[in-house]
């Protein structure tokens, strides 16, 4: 469904010079797949998502959706950002219905469609509330409902749960998995959290430090709905952590100096740990 071929993106800085965010990246995402991009800060994960969204343009390579060039934003792709980006002067219902209003739907139809998605994220009791009256998790639920109301083929999610506490994250992981299992939307998900990627994804793509490339791919062959105690998940987590160890060491050396090194056996923990949650 999404095909990325030999894509590179370079940014030019105001004070001269340039840096390459991603270099010669190629990958394919099948229709209905849940794929996560994982890697150190600055490796180009969000840049790649913005390219798929049509918010940025690549200097090299091609990105196609159903074989058509992806050169600008479109209704087939909706982005859910880390910040909920709700309009503070609109209620949850009006926020979720906003895009439907822009499409020209009548008030009754758009409110019915909006309420359907609000119910799907368990916010029906809060439909008439304003964003400042909601918790962080509720705001992100509203943002997801707004994206779903547009009925896009592809959901592009840029660290949507990064600012939430661990308990709220776990709840939203379950809810997002339920939504995906019900709708089978194609999802490209950006995260720093290894466990989050493993719990949610069909595949996890580990990116290298800048310039970002796809270093390794991990298939998560665990039954759904996912069970946190599943040994398959713990095995994939450990394998991903091992693949990331060298990249994390590069980041630390760049920031602190060559005298610092990460001991790989210190990166792993017990099965009960939230492995990589702070990466």
């Amino acid at each position: 469904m999404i095909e990325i071929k030999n894509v590179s993106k370079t940014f030019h800085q105001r004070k001269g010079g340039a840096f390459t965010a991603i270099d010669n990246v190629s990958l394919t995402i099948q229709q209905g797949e849940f794929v996560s991009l994982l890697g150190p800060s600055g490796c180009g994960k969000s840049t790649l998502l913005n390219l798929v969204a049509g918010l940025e343009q690549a200097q090299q390579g091609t990105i196609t959706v159903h074989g058509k060039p992806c050169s600008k934003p479109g209704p087939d792709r909706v982005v859910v950002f880390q910040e909920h980006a709700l309009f503070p002067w609109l209620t949850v219902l009006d926020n979720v219905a906003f895009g439907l209003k822009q499409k020209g739907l009548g008030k009754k139809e758009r409110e019915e469609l909006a309420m359907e998605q609000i119910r799907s994220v368990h916010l029906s009791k809060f439909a008439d509330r304003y964003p400042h009256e909601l918790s962080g998790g509720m705001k992100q639920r509203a943002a997801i409902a707004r994206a779903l109301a547009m009925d896009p083929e592809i959901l592009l999610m840029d660290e949507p749960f990064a600012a939430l506490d661990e308990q709220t994250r776990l709840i939203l992981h379950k809810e997002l998995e339920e939504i995906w299992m019900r709708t089978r939307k194609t999802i490209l998900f950006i995260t720093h959290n290894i466990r989050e990627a493993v719990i949610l994804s069909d595949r996890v793509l580990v990116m290298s430090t800048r310039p970002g490339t796809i270093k390794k791919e991990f298939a998560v062959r665990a039954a759904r709905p996912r069970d946190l105690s599943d040994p398959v998940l713990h095995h994939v987590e450990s394998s991903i952590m091992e693949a990331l160890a060298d990249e994390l060491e590069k980041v630390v050396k760049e920031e602190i100096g060559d005298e610092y090194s990460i001991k790989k056996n210190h990166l792993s923990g017990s099965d009960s740990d939230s492995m990589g949650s702070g990466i």
Side-chain angles (χ1 to χ4, degrees), residues 41-87:
S41 294
C43 71
K45 302 183 297 295
S46 293
T47 297
L48 190 55
L49 181 138
N50 288 337
L51 290 170
V52 175
L55 301 175
E56 299 276 358
Q57 298 300 312
Q59 279 90 6
Q60 174 185 311
T62 60
I63 300 176
T64 58
V65 175
H66 288 311
K68 297 179 180 179
C70 185
S71 58
K72 60 182 179 180
D76 58 337
R77 288 154 286 136
V78 173
V79 182
V80 178
F81 296 100
Q82 181 175 339
E83 295 295 331
H84 54 80
L86 300 175
F87 297 118

Side-chain angles (χ1 to χ4, degrees), residues 107-235:
K107 183 177 181 180
K108 183 179 179 181
E109 184 179 3
R110 65 176 182 259
E111 288 188 352
E112 286 177 354
L113 290 171
M115 279 304 304
E116 180 182 343
Q117 298 307 330
I118 289 170
R119 283 191 291 271
S120 78
V121 296
H122 312 297
L123 279 180
S124 54
K125 292 182 179 180
F126 301 89
D128 60 348
R129 302 288 182 89
Y130 290 89
H132 73 273
E133 299 177 290
L134 306 176
S135 68
M138 289 177 178
K139 290 173 185 176
Q140 282 303 78
R141 290 183 192 181
I144 292 169
R146 180 176 58 186
L148 292 171
M150 299 300 292
D151 195 25
E153 291 187 85
I154 300 166
L155 277 179
L156 304 170
M157 310 188 78
D158 193 359
E159 297 191 64
F161 309 140
L164 304 178
D165 62 84
E166 189 64 19
Q167 291 79 12
T168 304
R169 269 178 180 256
L170 292 175
I171 292 169
L172 291 183
H173 290 167
K174 284 291 184 185
E175 293 189 352
L176 180 58
E177 185 182 36
E178 288 172 4
I179 289 168
W180 176 81
M181 291 176 70
R182 186 179 71 251
T183 66
R184 293 295 174 171
K185 300 286 185 189
T186 303
I187 298 180
L188 179 59
F189 191 92
I190 307 298
T191 182
H192 282 89
N193 189 302
I194 295 175
R195 175 154 291 183
E196 180 171 78
V198 171
I199 288 171
L200 292 172
S201 309
D202 297 317
R203 284 188 294 147
V204 180
L205 306 179
V206 173
M207 295 186 69
S208 67
T209 52
R210 195 171 68 199
T213 60
I214 304 298
K215 180 177 181 178
K216 200 163 184 180
E217 175 182 317
F218 295 86
V220 187
R221 297 187 177 92
R224 291 187 186 270
R226 296 277 162 81
D227 181 347
L228 290 175
S229 64
D230 190 333
V232 172
L233 300 184
H234 296 301
H235 174 72

